[in-house]
């Protein structure tokens, strides 16, 4: 697959969706297939349609000088995670929790946010399991401090302290990494 720039799909102010779909449908299918999120086939097909619809819907907000594949990948991953949350699919893989919220109003911001989230996921893998679990439960599963403390059998103050220290470590590592 040749990764074309977005402007190559525009014909005046409209996008040649037929060409875009032809060029990127297998790419979207590969992202879905290689995802840790396993959904029924009809949900996968719905996501494929939604990817291209979202791309078309946001055509006026795209940076047409950028390559197409990062936008397509970001939209696909965000829609996969959104579908998971809506279906309440539970998975133990951290990659499922990379992005908390999908807002298709600005695809470019979503893409860069997903890159930062990937970096955070990589940094979490370098932490102690307990610290990583607390962070995920609080920030990605929206659990309350009290609920986390009961689940992990530790005091609420200890949970708060570990969250504070983990945020501080991640912030420091992100700055060190140039974010």
């Amino acid at each position: 697959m040749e990764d074309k720039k977005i402007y190559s799909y525009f014909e005046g102010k409209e996008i040649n969706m037929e060409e875009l779909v032809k060029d990127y449908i297998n790419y979207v299918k590969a992202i879905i297939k290689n995802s840790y999120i396993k959904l029924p086939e009809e949900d996968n097909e719905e996501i494929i349609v939604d990817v291209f619809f979202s791309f078309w819907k946001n055509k006026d907000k795209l940076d047409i000088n950028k390559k197409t594949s990062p936008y397509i990948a970001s939209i696909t991953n965000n829609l996969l995670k959104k579908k998971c949350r809506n279906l309440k699919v539970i998975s133990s893989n951290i990659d499922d929790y990379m992005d908390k919220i999908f807002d298709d109003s600005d695809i470019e911001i979503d893409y860069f946010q997903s890159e930062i989230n990937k970096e955070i996921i990589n940094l979490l893998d370098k932490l102690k399991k307990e610290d990583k679990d607390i962070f995920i439960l609080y920030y990605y599963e929206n659990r309350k401090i009290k609920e986390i403390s009961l689940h992990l059998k530790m005091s609420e103050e200890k949970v708060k302290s570990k969250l504070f220290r983990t945020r501080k470590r991640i912030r420091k590592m992100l700055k060190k990494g140039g974010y």
Side-chain angles (χ1 to χ4, degrees):
M1 172 188 81
E2 178 189 347
D3 192 10
K4 298 180 184 177
K5 298 228 176 183
I6 294 171
Y7 66 78
S8 66
Y9 292 101
F10 273 85
E11 294 173 352
K13 289 193 172 219
E14 287 303 316
I15 296 178
N16 181 340
M17 291 304 293
E18 189 176 315
E19 185 180 350
L20 180 73
V21 170
K22 182 183 83 164
D23 289 350
Y24 287 94
I25 193 161
N26 289 332
Y27 182 60
V28 172
K29 287 178 181 179
I31 292 170
I32 292 170
K33 181 182 176 205
N34 293 324
S35 168
Y36 291 102
I37 303 166
K38 301 302 176 207
L39 298 169
E41 189 58 37
E42 57 272 5
D43 288 330
N44 291 342
E45 290 171 12
E46 183 180 328
I47 289 170
I48 292 167
V49 170
D50 288 347
V51 166
F52 294 106
F53 175 74
S54 182
F55 193 92
W56 173 80
K57 184 175 143 188
N58 290 286
K59 68 181 179 270
D60 297 329
K61 299 173 186 168
L62 299 172
D63 181 347
I64 62 171
N65 295 312
K66 300 252 178 175
K67 292 190 175 200
T68 308
S69 63
Y71 284 112
I72 297 289
S74 179
I75 295 169
T76 305
N77 285 318
N78 286 327
L79 286 171
L80 273 166
K81 289 172 199 127
K82 183 178 181 185
K83 177 62 82 174
C84 242
R85 283 190 301 274
N86 290 343
L87 295 174
K88 295 186 169 87
V89 173
I90 299 171
S91 173
S92 61
N93 191 304
I94 186 71
D95 293 334
D96 296 348
Y97 302 103
M98 283 194 313
D99 297 321
K100 263 175 92 167
I101 299 172
F102 172 68
D103 179 5
D104 64 356
S105 63
D106 193 341
I107 295 171
E108 188 169 1
I109 290 173
D110 287 342
Y111 172 71
F112 291 114
Q113 184 62 43
S114 74
E115 291 302 307
I116 290 172
N117 284 330
K118 285 178 189 174
E119 184 62 27
I120 290 172
I121 300 305
N122 290 335
L123 297 175
L124 283 174
D125 286 336
K126 296 176 183 175
L127 300 175
K128 294 179 189 169
K129 182 180 180 348
E130 186 176 75
D131 295 341
K132 177 181 171 180
D133 291 344
I134 291 171
F135 190 89
I136 290 168
L137 288 169
Y138 187 77
Y139 286 104
Y140 292 95
E141 294 187 12
N142 296 316
R143 303 265 183 102
K144 296 185 184 323
I145 299 286
K146 185 173 187 169
E147 188 179 348
I148 296 169
S149 71
L150 292 172
H151 178 71
L152 298 176
K153 298 179 177 111
M154 64 176 65
S155 72
E156 289 181 39
E157 290 305 314
K158 186 172 182 181
V159 171
K160 288 178 186 176
S161 175
K162 286 187 168 287
L163 273 172
F164 175 79
R165 289 188 191 120
T166 302
R167 279 192 307 266
K168 194 173 175 181
R169 265 186 240 128
I170 289 173
R171 189 178 304 120
K172 184 178 177 181
M173 289 187 279
L174 283 172
K175 283 183 180 178
K176 189 177 179 181
Y179 287 94

mmCIF file of all heavy atoms in Angstrom, residues 13-37:
data_model
loop_
_atom_site.group_PDB
_atom_site.id
_atom_site.type_symbol
_atom_site.label_atom_id
_atom_site.label_comp_id
_atom_site.label_asym_id
_atom_site.label_seq_id
_atom_site.Cartn_x
_atom_site.Cartn_y
_atom_site.Cartn_z
ATOM 1 N N LYS A 13 -13.584 20.295 -3.414
ATOM 2 C CA LYS A 13 -13.809 20.317 -1.965
ATOM 3 C C LYS A 13 -14.295 18.971 -1.427
ATOM 4 O O LYS A 13 -14.546 18.830 -0.243
ATOM 5 C CB LYS A 13 -14.830 21.404 -1.614
ATOM 6 C CG LYS A 13 -14.283 22.793 -1.782
ATOM 7 C CD LYS A 13 -15.205 23.796 -1.130
ATOM 8 C CE LYS A 13 -14.524 25.147 -1.140
ATOM 9 N NZ LYS A 13 -14.743 25.895 0.041
ATOM 10 N N GLU A 14 -14.458 18.017 -2.313
ATOM 11 C CA GLU A 14 -14.955 16.699 -1.898
ATOM 12 C C GLU A 14 -13.840 15.653 -1.947
ATOM 13 O O GLU A 14 -12.895 15.772 -2.705
ATOM 14 C CB GLU A 14 -16.117 16.258 -2.789
ATOM 15 C CG GLU A 14 -17.404 17.010 -2.527
ATOM 16 C CD GLU A 14 -17.895 16.914 -1.092
ATOM 17 O OE1 GLU A 14 -17.882 15.810 -0.507
ATOM 18 O OE2 GLU A 14 -18.277 17.963 -0.542
ATOM 19 N N ILE A 15 -14.016 14.629 -1.138
ATOM 20 C CA ILE A 15 -13.067 13.517 -1.099
ATOM 21 C C ILE A 15 -13.574 12.414 -2.015
ATOM 22 O O ILE A 15 -14.760 12.097 -2.017
ATOM 23 C CB ILE A 15 -12.923 12.964 0.333
ATOM 24 C CG1 ILE A 15 -12.321 14.013 1.257
ATOM 25 C CG2 ILE A 15 -12.078 11.705 0.342
ATOM 26 C CD1 ILE A 15 -12.193 13.547 2.687
ATOM 27 N N ASN A 16 -12.657 11.834 -2.769
ATOM 28 C CA ASN A 16 -12.993 10.670 -3.588
ATOM 29 C C ASN A 16 -12.999 9.464 -2.646
ATOM 30 O O ASN A 16 -11.992 8.787 -2.454
ATOM 31 C CB ASN A 16 -11.972 10.499 -4.714
ATOM 32 C CG ASN A 16 -12.296 9.329 -5.608
ATOM 33 O OD1 ASN A 16 -13.038 8.424 -5.247
ATOM 34 N ND2 ASN A 16 -11.726 9.354 -6.808
ATOM 35 N N MET A 17 -14.174 9.222 -2.041
ATOM 36 C CA MET A 17 -14.288 8.168 -1.033
ATOM 37 C C MET A 17 -14.070 6.779 -1.629
ATOM 38 O O MET A 17 -13.529 5.909 -0.966
ATOM 39 C CB MET A 17 -15.660 8.243 -0.343
ATOM 40 C CG MET A 17 -15.828 9.459 0.547
ATOM 41 S SD MET A 17 -14.556 9.597 1.832
ATOM 42 C CE MET A 17 -14.932 8.189 2.845
ATOM 43 N N GLU A 18 -14.471 6.597 -2.866
ATOM 44 C CA GLU A 18 -14.297 5.296 -3.501
ATOM 45 C C GLU A 18 -12.816 4.926 -3.555
ATOM 46 O O GLU A 18 -12.419 3.813 -3.210
ATOM 47 C CB GLU A 18 -14.894 5.334 -4.910
ATOM 48 C CG GLU A 18 -14.953 3.983 -5.582
ATOM 49 C CD GLU A 18 -15.641 4.048 -6.935
ATOM 50 O OE1 GLU A 18 -16.698 4.701 -7.037
ATOM 51 O OE2 GLU A 18 -15.100 3.439 -7.868
ATOM 52 N N GLU A 19 -11.989 5.879 -3.945
ATOM 53 C CA GLU A 19 -10.546 5.628 -4.025
ATOM 54 C C GLU A 19 -9.945 5.451 -2.635
ATOM 55 O O GLU A 19 -9.113 4.567 -2.407
ATOM 56 C CB GLU A 19 -9.853 6.780 -4.766
ATOM 57 C CG GLU A 19 -8.373 6.525 -4.980
ATOM 58 C CD GLU A 19 -7.683 7.668 -5.722
ATOM 59 O OE1 GLU A 19 -8.359 8.568 -6.230
ATOM 60 O OE2 GLU A 19 -6.442 7.631 -5.765
ATOM 61 N N LEU A 20 -10.378 6.283 -1.688
ATOM 62 C CA LEU A 20 -9.879 6.188 -0.318
ATOM 63 C C LEU A 20 -10.205 4.816 0.275
ATOM 64 O O LEU A 20 -9.324 4.159 0.844
ATOM 65 C CB LEU A 20 -10.497 7.302 0.550
ATOM 66 C CG LEU A 20 -10.048 7.320 2.001
ATOM 67 C CD1 LEU A 20 -8.613 7.818 2.113
ATOM 68 C CD2 LEU A 20 -10.966 8.195 2.836
ATOM 69 N N VAL A 21 -11.434 4.389 0.114
ATOM 70 C CA VAL A 21 -11.835 3.079 0.643
ATOM 71 C C VAL A 21 -11.038 1.973 -0.035
ATOM 72 O O VAL A 21 -10.526 1.064 0.628
ATOM 73 C CB VAL A 21 -13.360 2.862 0.475
ATOM 74 C CG1 VAL A 21 -13.738 1.429 0.802
ATOM 75 C CG2 VAL A 21 -14.137 3.842 1.350
ATOM 76 N N LYS A 22 -10.910 2.050 -1.347
ATOM 77 C CA LYS A 22 -10.164 1.024 -2.096
ATOM 78 C C LYS A 22 -8.723 0.925 -1.583
ATOM 79 O O LYS A 22 -8.196 -0.167 -1.373
ATOM 80 C CB LYS A 22 -10.168 1.365 -3.591
ATOM 81 C CG LYS A 22 -9.465 0.327 -4.460
ATOM 82 C CD LYS A 22 -9.445 0.763 -5.915
ATOM 83 C CE LYS A 22 -8.314 1.669 -6.058
ATOM 84 N NZ LYS A 22 -7.647 2.133 -7.083
ATOM 85 N N ASP A 23 -8.092 2.089 -1.325
ATOM 86 C CA ASP A 23 -6.694 2.102 -0.900
ATOM 87 C C ASP A 23 -6.489 1.682 0.558
ATOM 88 O O ASP A 23 -5.446 1.136 0.907
ATOM 89 C CB ASP A 23 -6.095 3.502 -1.091
ATOM 90 C CG ASP A 23 -5.879 3.855 -2.556
ATOM 91 O OD1 ASP A 23 -6.002 2.952 -3.422
ATOM 92 O OD2 ASP A 23 -5.568 5.037 -2.833
ATOM 93 N N TYR A 24 -7.480 1.935 1.428
ATOM 94 C CA TYR A 24 -7.244 1.754 2.864
ATOM 95 C C TYR A 24 -8.139 0.736 3.560
ATOM 96 O O TYR A 24 -7.964 0.493 4.745
ATOM 97 C CB TYR A 24 -7.335 3.112 3.588
ATOM 98 C CG TYR A 24 -6.123 3.953 3.293
ATOM 99 C CD1 TYR A 24 -6.131 4.872 2.260
ATOM 100 C CD2 TYR A 24 -4.948 3.786 4.019
ATOM 101 C CE1 TYR A 24 -5.008 5.620 1.958
ATOM 102 C CE2 TYR A 24 -3.825 4.529 3.731
ATOM 103 C CZ TYR A 24 -3.857 5.446 2.698
ATOM 104 O OH TYR A 24 -2.742 6.166 2.415
ATOM 105 N N ILE A 25 -9.055 0.107 2.859
ATOM 106 C CA ILE A 25 -9.941 -0.846 3.540
ATOM 107 C C ILE A 25 -9.159 -2.033 4.099
ATOM 108 O O ILE A 25 -9.400 -2.480 5.216
ATOM 109 C CB ILE A 25 -11.114 -1.303 2.638
ATOM 110 C CG1 ILE A 25 -12.152 -2.030 3.507
ATOM 111 C CG2 ILE A 25 -10.624 -2.167 1.482
ATOM 112 C CD1 ILE A 25 -13.506 -2.139 2.888
ATOM 113 N N ASN A 26 -8.184 -2.523 3.366
ATOM 114 C CA ASN A 26 -7.381 -3.651 3.876
ATOM 115 C C ASN A 26 -6.519 -3.227 5.058
ATOM 116 O O ASN A 26 -6.271 -4.018 5.974
ATOM 117 C CB ASN A 26 -6.523 -4.246 2.761
ATOM 118 C CG ASN A 26 -7.368 -5.003 1.753
ATOM 119 O OD1 ASN A 26 -8.425 -5.522 2.085
ATOM 120 N ND2 ASN A 26 -6.920 -5.046 0.508
ATOM 121 N N TYR A 27 -6.073 -1.982 5.050
ATOM 122 C CA TYR A 27 -5.298 -1.440 6.170
ATOM 123 C C TYR A 27 -6.161 -1.409 7.429
ATOM 124 O O TYR A 27 -5.730 -1.840 8.498
ATOM 125 C CB TYR A 27 -4.803 -0.041 5.792
ATOM 126 C CG TYR A 27 -3.943 0.643 6.826
ATOM 127 C CD1 TYR A 27 -2.748 0.091 7.258
ATOM 128 C CD2 TYR A 27 -4.327 1.870 7.358
ATOM 129 C CE1 TYR A 27 -1.950 0.732 8.192
ATOM 130 C CE2 TYR A 27 -3.541 2.523 8.284
ATOM 131 C CZ TYR A 27 -2.356 1.956 8.704
ATOM 132 O OH TYR A 27 -1.573 2.600 9.628
ATOM 133 N N VAL A 28 -7.398 -0.924 7.301
ATOM 134 C CA VAL A 28 -8.318 -0.871 8.438
ATOM 135 C C VAL A 28 -8.612 -2.284 8.928
ATOM 136 O O VAL A 28 -8.586 -2.549 10.140
ATOM 137 C CB VAL A 28 -9.622 -0.127 8.054
ATOM 138 C CG1 VAL A 28 -10.659 -0.244 9.160
ATOM 139 C CG2 VAL A 28 -9.343 1.331 7.731
ATOM 140 N N LYS A 29 -8.873 -3.204 8.019
ATOM 141 C CA LYS A 29 -9.140 -4.589 8.401
ATOM 142 C C LYS A 29 -7.949 -5.201 9.138
ATOM 143 O O LYS A 29 -8.128 -5.952 10.100
ATOM 144 C CB LYS A 29 -9.476 -5.433 7.167
ATOM 145 C CG LYS A 29 -10.846 -5.161 6.596
ATOM 146 C CD LYS A 29 -11.095 -6.006 5.350
ATOM 147 C CE LYS A 29 -12.465 -5.738 4.751
ATOM 148 N NZ LYS A 29 -12.707 -6.535 3.534
ATOM 149 N N ALA A 30 -6.742 -4.875 8.697
ATOM 150 C CA ALA A 30 -5.539 -5.405 9.355
ATOM 151 C C ALA A 30 -5.402 -4.858 10.770
ATOM 152 O O ALA A 30 -5.041 -5.602 11.694
ATOM 153 C CB ALA A 30 -4.297 -5.062 8.531
ATOM 154 N N ILE A 31 -5.699 -3.580 10.955
ATOM 155 C CA ILE A 31 -5.634 -2.995 12.298
ATOM 156 C C ILE A 31 -6.627 -3.694 13.210
ATOM 157 O O ILE A 31 -6.302 -4.065 14.345
ATOM 158 C CB ILE A 31 -5.910 -1.474 12.247
ATOM 159 C CG1 ILE A 31 -4.764 -0.742 11.535
ATOM 160 C CG2 ILE A 31 -6.095 -0.913 13.663
ATOM 161 C CD1 ILE A 31 -5.051 0.706 11.219
ATOM 162 N N ILE A 32 -7.831 -3.900 12.716
ATOM 163 C CA ILE A 32 -8.865 -4.567 13.515
ATOM 164 C C ILE A 32 -8.458 -6.011 13.820
ATOM 165 O O ILE A 32 -8.553 -6.468 14.957
ATOM 166 C CB ILE A 32 -10.229 -4.515 12.789
ATOM 167 C CG1 ILE A 32 -10.741 -3.071 12.738
ATOM 168 C CG2 ILE A 32 -11.242 -5.431 13.453
ATOM 169 C CD1 ILE A 32 -11.948 -2.859 11.838
ATOM 170 N N LYS A 33 -7.970 -6.714 12.817
ATOM 171 C CA LYS A 33 -7.579 -8.118 12.990
ATOM 172 C C LYS A 33 -6.424 -8.254 13.989
ATOM 173 O O LYS A 33 -6.396 -9.188 14.794
ATOM 174 C CB LYS A 33 -7.165 -8.709 11.641
ATOM 175 C CG LYS A 33 -6.768 -10.155 11.714
ATOM 176 C CD LYS A 33 -6.313 -10.685 10.374
ATOM 177 C CE LYS A 33 -5.843 -12.115 10.532
ATOM 178 N NZ LYS A 33 -4.914 -12.497 9.517
ATOM 179 N N ASN A 34 -5.466 -7.328 13.938
ATOM 180 C CA ASN A 34 -4.293 -7.417 14.805
ATOM 181 C C ASN A 34 -4.516 -6.806 16.181
ATOM 182 O O ASN A 34 -3.619 -6.820 17.013
ATOM 183 C CB ASN A 34 -3.093 -6.762 14.125
ATOM 184 C CG ASN A 34 -2.661 -7.536 12.908
ATOM 185 O OD1 ASN A 34 -2.727 -8.758 12.877
ATOM 186 N ND2 ASN A 34 -2.248 -6.829 11.871
ATOM 187 N N SER A 35 -5.685 -6.276 16.413
ATOM 188 C CA SER A 35 -6.003 -5.676 17.697
ATOM 189 C C SER A 35 -6.208 -6.769 18.738
ATOM 190 O O SER A 35 -6.594 -7.891 18.430
ATOM 191 C CB SER A 35 -7.279 -4.846 17.553
ATOM 192 O OG SER A 35 -7.763 -4.484 18.812
ATOM 193 N N TYR A 36 -5.965 -6.413 19.981
ATOM 194 C CA TYR A 36 -6.235 -7.340 21.068
ATOM 195 C C TYR A 36 -7.724 -7.391 21.379
ATOM 196 O O TYR A 36 -8.192 -8.252 22.094
ATOM 197 C CB TYR A 36 -5.468 -6.924 22.332
ATOM 198 C CG TYR A 36 -3.990 -7.111 22.185
ATOM 199 C CD1 TYR A 36 -3.146 -6.042 21.937
ATOM 200 C CD2 TYR A 36 -3.433 -8.379 22.276
ATOM 201 C CE1 TYR A 36 -1.786 -6.220 21.783
ATOM 202 C CE2 TYR A 36 -2.071 -8.572 22.122
ATOM 203 C CZ TYR A 36 -1.261 -7.491 21.889
ATOM 204 O OH TYR A 36 0.082 -7.676 21.744
ATOM 205 N N ILE A 37 -8.461 -6.447 20.820
ATOM 206 C CA ILE A 37 -9.889 -6.380 21.044
ATOM 207 C C ILE A 37 -10.568 -7.271 20.005
ATOM 208 O O ILE A 37 -10.477 -7.019 18.817
ATOM 209 C CB ILE A 37 -10.395 -4.927 20.922
ATOM 210 C CG1 ILE A 37 -9.643 -4.020 21.900
ATOM 211 C CG2 ILE A 37 -11.894 -4.852 21.137
ATOM 212 C CD1 ILE A 37 -9.830 -2.552 21.638
#
